[in-house]
Amino acid sequence: MDKIKAGLVSFGCISYPREIIEKRSEKARQELENAGLELIYTPPVGTIDEADRAIKDLMGKDFDFLILCIASWIETPIVIRVTDYFRDKPILLWGLGGYTQNGSLVSPASQAGTSGLRWTLEAMGYRFKYIYDFPDSPMSVDKVLSFGKVASTAKRLRSSRVGMMGYADMGLYGCMFDGMSLRSKIGPEVEVFDMLEIVQKMEKVSQKVIMNLLEEKKKLWDINPDVQEEALVNAIRIYLAVKERINEGGYNAISIKCVEGMKKYMNFPPCMILTMLSEEMPAICEDDALGAVTQLIINYLTGQSAPYVEMYEFMEDRILVGICGFVPPGAVEGKVCVARYAGWGGLSEGAMNVSKMKTGSLTLIRLFSKGDNYKLHMVTGKGLSPRRWEELGWEPPAPFFPGLEIDLDTPVEDFAQKVASQHYFVVYGDYREEIKDLCKILDIELV
């Protein structure tokens, strides 16, 4: 991931000692740079002339977000003079805390400055977050870095590309998308390509390359004895063909038509193909465009390859979610387990991923839309190992899918009445604050 870049402008009233303002500003700069943030810095600003100098210092520079470091009381028009030139950037309003000297709390009145600015920024339509330090406490460097990831994610989304083999698998309305509103409001471009392209590329894949990769996977995967080698060879051949198409399209995420695509016309499930792809990028089946964008959001924010899960059962105190034969290796406990895909939908050949999913604290999210109004449903909970269960329709012995029983932090009834799709996405850990901030920046309604 590229280093996160920020423009840093400190503000301090000219009525206060300049050396104190400079000292506080320099300390903030050093702590942020020591934490790994790349800064485009300009000396402290206390007048309109200095604001104009700061604008010149920052104009034309590439950075992800703008930090307004309020080192003391500052007049609002001076700050807005600077921010007006960078309305396209997410803004972090940061008030530094006071300090004790000779037994007395000395307050540079930074929070007087930020209090006057917070509502002003909101009323003027800026995309911003407000943080503040306590007196005699460490600077909120972690909060700055967290918002930096959010701002960087918003920026990366604007240049992201999603590749989708086919469209509207099973006619799933919730997996469809509106290209113009998605590109305009959130940023990613979704490009649909035909399965025929992959079939043609499969014919040109080197058998030597296939067999070399197969030997590598045999060392990494726990493969059931009943899995035929030809099924793995075929999966790798298709994976390499899709990967070539990904490189041609410059895609950052991929979705593959499954039930009415590969299974119907190629008599082969995409489970292990998606497993391999998900080691390198967000990947999902069933032509889920907004699902792929949800995965991109998670990946950019956290580095995780978020598994998608489907809703199977709502219970009194939890929900049962599962995945039909595919889970990213990063979400697997132990080795990837491979079983023979047989007994459902008329397929008798192929391989599927039946690995055990990681458990623990998680955030469950889904991006969806109503027209050009984008929304995101988010809940937290604890993922538990599921009881033995199976999906109707499989020949015995039915496979034990990857899955979780999730003990939600919200009532199941509340979740059920807001559920927005059969596909949701698991983020391990509590990322509510970052997701909330991103929704604010991108004008996504948080549900």
Side-chain angles (χ1 to χ4, degrees):
M1 180 176 176
D2 294 336
K3 205 168 186 179
I4 298 173
K5 300 178 183 179
L8 175 62
V9 185
S10 292
F11 294 88
C13 180
I14 59 173
S15 300
Y16 294 159
R18 180 73 177 191
E19 62 273 16
I20 301 296
I21 302 299
E22 291 178 349
K23 182 179 179 180
R24 284 162 63 81
S25 301
E26 182 60 23
K27 186 174 187 296
R29 174 188 181 182
Q30 290 178 358
E31 291 207 16
L32 292 176
E33 288 182 335
N34 290 341
L37 198 62
E38 185 174 324
L39 296 177
I40 297 169
Y41 179 76
T42 185
V45 170
T47 66
I48 290 294
D49 287 343
E50 289 177 339
D52 289 340
R53 180 258 303 152
I55 292 166
K56 290 179 181 178
D57 288 346
L58 269 61
M59 283 291 285
K61 304 296 194 307
D62 179 33
F63 55 92
D64 301 321
F65 69 115
L66 179 64
I67 303 172
L68 309 178
C69 179
I70 310 302
S72 79
W73 157 252
I74 187 65
E75 297 171 16
T76 299
I78 295 172
V79 179
I80 298 302
R81 178 84 166 197
V82 175
T83 61
D84 193 56
Y85 282 83
F86 303 99
R87 280 186 164 272
D88 61 318
K89 303 289 186 184
I91 289 175
L92 183 68
L93 175 62
W94 179 21
L96 303 184
Y99 56 92
T100 298
Q101 182 174 288
N102 298 325
S104 178
L105 175 60
V106 179
S107 178
S110 297
Q111 308 325 338
T114 59
S115 297
L117 282 163
R118 196 215 65 80
W119 172 244
T120 299
L121 292 173
E122 183 173 334
M124 295 179 73
Y126 285 95
R127 301 173 298 150
F128 76 100
K129 181 179 177 68
Y130 172 37
I131 65 173
Y132 49 88
D133 297 342
F134 299 132
D136 297 317
S137 297
M139 289 184 169
S140 302
V141 174
D142 288 346
K143 291 182 179 180
V144 177
L145 295 179
S146 176
F147 186 74
K149 289 182 181 179
V150 170
S152 176
T153 295
K155 182 180 178 182
R156 294 176 73 186
L157 285 169
R158 296 229 64 87
S159 58
S160 292
R161 289 173 56 79
V162 177
M164 197 155 65
M165 188 179 81
Y167 184 63
D169 195 7
M170 296 178 283
L172 298 173
Y173 293 164
C175 295
M176 299 178 189
F177 74 105
D178 177 74
M180 287 187 290
S181 67
L182 179 63
R183 185 72 178 92
S184 174
K185 297 200 70 172
I186 300 179
E189 186 83 61
V190 178
E191 182 176 275
V192 176
F193 60 90
D194 294 329
M195 191 186 307
L196 177 60
E197 295 184 55
I198 303 305
V199 173
Q200 292 173 338
K201 290 181 183 299
M202 286 169 55
E203 299 172 355
K204 302 175 183 178
V205 176
S206 163
Q207 188 68 17
K208 181 179 179 181
V209 173
I210 293 172
M211 298 313 295
N212 287 341
L213 184 54
L214 176 60
E215 291 306 311
E216 290 180 23
K217 296 304 181 184
K218 284 181 177 180
K219 297 174 184 177
L220 297 173
W221 295 344
D222 184 1
I223 304 172
N224 288 357
D226 63 345
V227 176
Q228 297 180 4
E229 184 170 292
E230 182 56 32
L232 298 177
V233 168
N234 203 22
I236 290 173
R237 180 182 289 110
I238 299 171
Y239 155 75
L240 292 170
V242 174
K243 188 174 178 180
E244 181 181 342
R245 185 64 182 85
I246 288 169
N247 291 335
E248 290 174 354
Y251 303 141
N252 306 100
I254 188 74
S255 186
I256 292 178
K257 195 165 190 174
C258 177
V259 177
E260 293 182 348
M262 286 192 62
K263 290 179 182 177
K264 183 176 181 180
Y265 295 106
M266 298 177 71
N267 198 40
F268 195 82
C271 306
M272 299 313 301
I273 301 159
L274 288 164
T275 296
M276 289 183 279
L277 289 170
S278 66
E279 295 181 86
E280 303 159 16
M281 61 170 52
I284 186 173
C285 63
E286 297 178 354
D287 290 339
D288 188 351
L290 295 187
V293 175
T294 309
Q295 287 181 309
L296 276 175
I297 288 171
I298 295 169
N299 184 249
Y300 291 163
L301 277 178
T302 72
Q304 297 182 31
S305 296
Y308 93 93
V309 291
E310 295 202 44
M311 302 294 141
Y312 274 90
E313 295 290 340
F314 293 162
M315 306 174 187
E316 290 186 9
D317 62 342
R318 65 191 62 191
I319 62 175
L320 171 66
V321 299
I323 311 173
C324 176
F326 151 59
V327 61
V332 168
E333 186 176 295
K335 279 189 170 184
V336 169
C337 296
V338 185
R340 185 178 175 219
Y341 191 108
W344 191 89
L347 294 185
S348 59
E349 300 298 334
M352 63 191 306
N353 181 336
V354 292
S355 307
K356 185 178 181 181
M357 289 184 68
K358 290 179 179 178
T359 57
S361 172
L362 57 80
T363 308
L364 196 64
I365 72 171
R366 168 74 198 191
L367 179 70
F368 61 107
S369 67
K370 183 178 180 181
D372 62 357
N373 180 20
Y374 285 83
K375 304 183 180 186
L376 189 140
H377 188 197
M378 174 174 67
V379 292
T380 56
K382 185 176 182 181
L384 308 170
S385 295
R387 69 199 72 184
R388 179 75 196 188
W389 68 281
E390 61 187 65
E391 183 183 9
L392 177 68
W394 289 82
E395 293 178 6
F400 185 15
F401 289 160
L404 292 169
E405 291 188 17
I406 303 179
D407 181 6
L408 297 174
D409 294 331
T410 189
V412 172
E413 172 66 7
D414 183 64
F415 173 80
Q417 295 303 329
K418 295 177 180 177
V419 70
S421 172
Q422 73 277 21
H423 293 171
Y424 271 67
F425 299 86
V426 172
V427 197
Y428 289 98
D430 185 350
Y431 287 94
R432 284 176 295 180
E433 193 66 21
E434 291 89 339
I435 293 169
K436 177 182 174 182
D437 290 341
L438 183 67
C439 286
K440 185 176 180 181
I441 285 177
L442 296 178
D443 192 26
I444 297 172
E445 180 184 342
L446 191 60
V447 178

